[in-house]
């Protein structure tokens, strides 16, 4: 019972330091989440022409985000399996090292293409960090303490969301844009030292075989699908032959991936898990909420910085209520689940998210900023009451030795949902903006006209270069962007409402204490 192999009861030496281990795991998680939340604030700066930024177009910015997300999501299955096979601690250490190297390279990028490439390297490391943190957590806490530990873990995501934009804003106020990536390196070094000292290793006694064909199919399918969606938004034409062909090819490859996984005797994605309606609904809720939120966060930065004129640091500070709400409510969400059940708690969270997204459709250039703060706080509250209950449902649906697989699946659905949200809602934003601004660009030379229509930053950048003549473009650019933001927010609202219907239909109405207690004997193979 004291070996490093996961067992129904936690070894006493590990049990005593379980909270310290959770702290180290949260630090590891922090850098992975921190990176994306920092990047959100830096989007406008990176879009600014050199020497301030890289002069990235909106589609290049979407790829800087999605190259990370797609590699991350595509490798999570395999990363979870490798952690189960080689040991979660080893995989955590290796993932952190790769993530740190990728961060240092990204900081020195000389072009949008290099940034996209190095973000993919960072994702390679992050893919091995994220599932291993939850898998280790499930192996150092007894089942009775797991909901509390997962709640604190989810609260750590809120902490990262708070620290990220503020840190990013402060760095951008004093240093060059690459500093938002370089900041990861010292955090990685601290996390590595603490992990070697505190975290125990664990592995699945019967790990699955690796599935390289499945990994290639999943990554290829997602890249084709997302590329087609982003390209359609860039062209403002989803009927373009190349756009349609790429999207259809992506869907076909993903269907082939599911068929292959269903027939494989060592699938990276075990589709039999989804026969459990509760498990499937929890996964769908995670994917849909991140679809809506990531897409809306993408335009939120341009609203606060480009339209309202806030600095990166001020923009980061505006996100504090969202993060504070997550930190306050994520560890406490289990109390509502105990009283009202997963269904009521999660459905209420999804409806709250839908209401906050709908509120964005009412925002104008002169909307009182305190209203934005209230909306961000309510958004964080809704997220906390979705992520904690669904994470507990997912992690407890599978035996403890499959913790890596369960964690990888939940994170995959979160990342894929977020990537599709940025792609789809980013494309809605780009299409709506181009349609709203193009008739105001007639006075520009033909070559500039197309570039100026790509995004509000492109329009404002060209207006600035034109000097006094360009001032006439500023108000139309703001108006076109606000209209595009309203349209995109309503799309996000619709997605969140679909999520509310899914969880209301399939999640359990009250805590399943009896079933939770019955699973423990399965872990030691004694039967009923």
């Amino acid at each position: 019972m004291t070996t490093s192999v996961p067992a129904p009861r936690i070894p006493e030496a590990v049990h005593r330091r379980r909270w310290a281990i959770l702290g180290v795991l949260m630090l590891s998680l922090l850098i992975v989440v921190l990176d994306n939340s920092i990047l959100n604030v830096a989007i406008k700066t990176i879009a600014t022409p050199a020497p301030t930024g890289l002069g990235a177009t909106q589609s290049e910015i979407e790829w800087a985000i999605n190259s990370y997300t797609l590699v991350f999501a595509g490798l999570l299955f395999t990363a979870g399996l490798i952690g189960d096979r080689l040991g979660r601690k080893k995989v955590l250490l290796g993932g952190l090292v790769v993530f740190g190297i990728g961060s240092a390279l990204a900081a020195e990028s000389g072009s949008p293409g290099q940034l996209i490439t190095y973000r993919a390297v960072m994702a390679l490391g992050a893919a091995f960090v994220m599932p291993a943190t939850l898998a280790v957590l499930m192996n150092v806490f007894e089942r009775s303490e797991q909901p509390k530990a997962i709640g604190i873990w989810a609260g750590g995501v809120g902490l990262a969301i708070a620290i990220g934009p503020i840190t990013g804003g402060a760095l951008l106020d004093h240093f060059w844009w690459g500093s938002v990536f370089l900041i990861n390196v010292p955090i990685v070094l601290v996390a590595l030292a603490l992990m070697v000292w505190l975290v125990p290793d664990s592995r699945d006694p019967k790990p699955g075989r690796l599935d390289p064909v499945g990994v290639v199919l999943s990554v290829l399918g997602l890249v084709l699908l997302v590329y087609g969606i982003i390209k359609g938004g860039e062209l403002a034409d989803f009927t373009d032959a190349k756009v349609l062909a790429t999207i259809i090819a992506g869907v076909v490859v993903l269907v082939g991936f599911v068929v292959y996984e269903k027939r494989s005797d060592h699938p990276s994605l075990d589709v039999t898990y989804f026969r459990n309606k509760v498990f499937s609904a929890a996964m769908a809720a995670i994917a849909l909420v991140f679809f809506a939120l990531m897409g809306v966060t993408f335009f939120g930065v341009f609203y606060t910085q480009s339209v309202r004129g806030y600095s990166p640091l001020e923009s980061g500070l505006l996100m504090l209520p969202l993060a504070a709400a997550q930190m306050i409510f994520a560890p406490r969400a289990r109390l509502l689940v105990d009283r009202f059940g997963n269904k009521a708690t999660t459905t209420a969270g999804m409806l709250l998210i839908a209401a906050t997204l709908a509120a964005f459709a009412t925002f104008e250039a002169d909307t009182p900023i305190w209203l934005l703060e209230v909306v961000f706080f309510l958004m964080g509250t809704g997220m906390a009451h979705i992520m904690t209950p669904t994470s507990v449902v997912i992690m407890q649906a599978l035996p403890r030795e499959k913790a890596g697989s369960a964690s990888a699946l939940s994170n995959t659905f979160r990342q894929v949902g977020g990537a599709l949200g940025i792609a789809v809602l980013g494309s809605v934003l780009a299409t709506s903006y181009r349609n709203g601004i193009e008739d105001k660009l007639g006075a520009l030379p033909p070559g500039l006209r197309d570039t100026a229509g790509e995004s509000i930053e492109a329009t404002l950048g060209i207006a600035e270069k034109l000097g006094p003549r360009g001032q006439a473009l500023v108000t139309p650019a703001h108006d076109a962007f606000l209209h595009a933001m309203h349209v995109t927010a309503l799309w996000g609202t619709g997605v969140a409402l679909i999520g509310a219907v899914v969880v209301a239909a399939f999640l359990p109405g009250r805590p399943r204490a009896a079933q939770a207690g019955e699973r423990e004997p399965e872990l030691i193979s004694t039967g009923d």
Side-chain angles (χ1 to χ4, degrees):
M1 300 292 279
T2 59
T3 63
S4 63
V5 177
R9 288 211 300 266
I10 310 301
E12 181 58 29
V14 173
H15 182 73
R16 282 198 305 269
R17 64 178 192 269
R18 65 196 185 283
W19 297 109
I21 293 169
L22 178 60
V24 178
L25 296 177
M26 287 175 63
L27 182 62
S28 304
L29 175 73
L30 183 74
I31 61 166
V32 175
V33 180
L34 186 76
D35 177 70
N36 272 332
S37 57
I38 280 182
L39 184 61
N40 285 337
V41 176
I43 283 172
K44 180 180 179 295
T45 305
I46 293 171
T48 305
T52 303
L54 291 175
T57 65
Q58 181 164 313
S59 62
E60 286 171 335
I61 289 171
E62 288 179 39
W63 274 114
I65 297 171
N66 281 336
S67 66
Y68 182 96
T69 302
L70 293 174
V71 171
F72 191 23
L75 292 177
L76 276 171
F77 298 133
T78 297
L81 282 172
I82 291 174
D84 289 344
R85 176 185 290 249
L86 299 181
R88 283 84 183 230
K89 180 176 181 176
K90 297 184 187 72
V91 162
L92 261 173
L93 293 170
L96 283 171
V97 169
V98 173
F99 185 88
I101 292 170
S103 298
L105 291 171
E108 298 299 327
S109 298
S111 67
Q114 287 184 6
L115 179 61
I116 292 166
T117 301
Y118 295 141
R119 289 271 298 160
V121 174
M122 293 170 68
L124 175 63
F128 286 88
V129 172
M130 180 72 97
T133 59
L134 255 187
V136 171
L137 182 153
M138 298 300 285
N139 281 275
V140 299
F141 284 91
E142 295 288 2
R143 192 176 186 88
S144 60
E145 285 188 319
Q146 286 171 5
K148 181 180 180 182
I150 291 174
I152 294 171
W153 181 89
V157 176
L159 178 65
I161 291 173
I163 293 172
I166 297 168
T167 305
L171 289 169
L172 290 171
D173 273 4
H174 296 94
F175 304 102
W176 93 116
W177 65 266
S179 61
V180 301
F181 298 111
L182 200 60
I183 191 66
N184 292 331
V185 176
I187 302 175
V188 165
L189 294 174
V190 172
L192 285 170
L194 290 173
M195 196 169 295
V196 169
W197 177 35
L198 284 172
V199 175
D201 207 355
S202 62
R203 58 171 61 89
D204 186 346
K206 296 178 181 177
R209 285 157 54 200
L210 299 183
D211 178 25
V213 174
V215 171
V216 170
L217 288 175
S218 64
V219 174
L220 180 61
L222 285 169
V223 168
L224 286 170
L225 177 62
V226 170
Y227 178 82
I229 294 169
I230 291 175
K231 194 66 179 175
E234 187 182 334
L235 298 174
D237 181 10
F238 284 88
T239 61
D240 181 85
K242 289 182 180 177
V243 170
L244 281 175
T246 308
I247 291 174
I248 291 169
V251 171
V252 169
V253 173
L254 288 174
V255 170
F257 165 70
V258 172
V259 171
Y260 177 83
E261 296 298 284
K262 194 171 182 180
R263 294 178 177 176
S264 174
D265 60 355
H266 57 287
S268 55
L269 171 61
D270 191 338
V271 294
T272 60
Y273 295 156
F274 293 93
R275 292 174 184 167
N276 182 330
K277 290 181 180 179
V278 172
F279 182 84
S280 297
M283 286 293 190
I286 284 177
L288 289 170
V289 75
F290 271 84
F291 181 102
L293 280 170
M294 290 295 286
V296 171
T297 303
F298 186 75
F299 69 61
V301 174
F302 290 104
Y303 172 69
T304 56
Q305 294 185 36
S306 298
V307 176
R308 301 301 297 261
Y310 288 101
S311 70
L313 177 57
E314 291 168 336
S315 183
L317 289 169
L318 289 175
M319 296 287 288
L320 265 180
L322 189 153
Q326 278 213 61
M327 286 189 287
I328 292 167
F329 294 112
R332 294 171 175 80
R334 62 191 172 83
L335 302 177
L336 280 183
V337 172
D338 290 343
R339 184 167 182 181
F340 300 108
N342 278 301
K343 178 182 292 190
T345 304
T346 311
T347 302
M350 292 296 288
L351 290 174
L352 187 55
I353 290 289
T356 57
L357 296 178
F360 270 99
T362 68
F363 286 177
E364 301 292 344
D366 58 354
T367 298
I369 205 65
W370 66 265
L371 282 176
L372 178 66
E373 298 298 86
V374 170
V375 166
F376 276 147
F377 185 83
L378 293 175
M379 189 177 282
T381 304
M383 276 196 73
H385 290 93
I386 297 166
M387 294 310 299
T388 299
T390 53
S391 294
V392 172
V393 166
I394 290 164
M395 294 306 293
Q396 293 193 343
L398 302 180
R400 182 182 289 150
E401 63 267 22
K402 298 297 181 185
S405 298
S407 174
L409 274 171
S410 69
N411 282 296
T412 297
F413 271 68
R414 177 161 58 216
Q415 295 298 324
V416 170
L420 290 175
I422 290 169
V424 174
L425 297 184
S427 294
V428 170
L429 183 74
T431 302
S432 299
Y433 181 78
R434 186 181 284 276
N435 291 338
I437 196 67
E438 60 186 357
D439 61 341
K440 308 291 194 301
L441 304 175
L444 294 177
L448 284 180
R449 205 175 302 160
D450 189 57
T451 303
E454 285 185 352
S455 67
I456 184 172
E457 274 309 299
T459 308
L460 295 178
I462 287 173
E464 189 176 346
K465 287 180 181 177
L466 292 175
R469 287 190 305 128
Q471 285 303 304
L473 290 175
V474 174
T475 299
H478 287 172
D479 292 343
F481 177 82
L482 287 169
H483 173 71
M485 182 179 84
H486 296 162
V487 172
T488 309
L490 291 175
W491 273 63
T493 302
V495 172
L497 288 174
I498 292 171
V501 171
V502 169
V503 296
F506 296 111
L507 286 191
R510 62 172 68 95
R512 310 182 82 181
Q515 285 97 322
E518 287 166 9
R519 289 198 66 90
E520 205 66 66
E522 294 176 25
L523 299 181
I524 52 176
S525 303
T526 58
D528 295 322

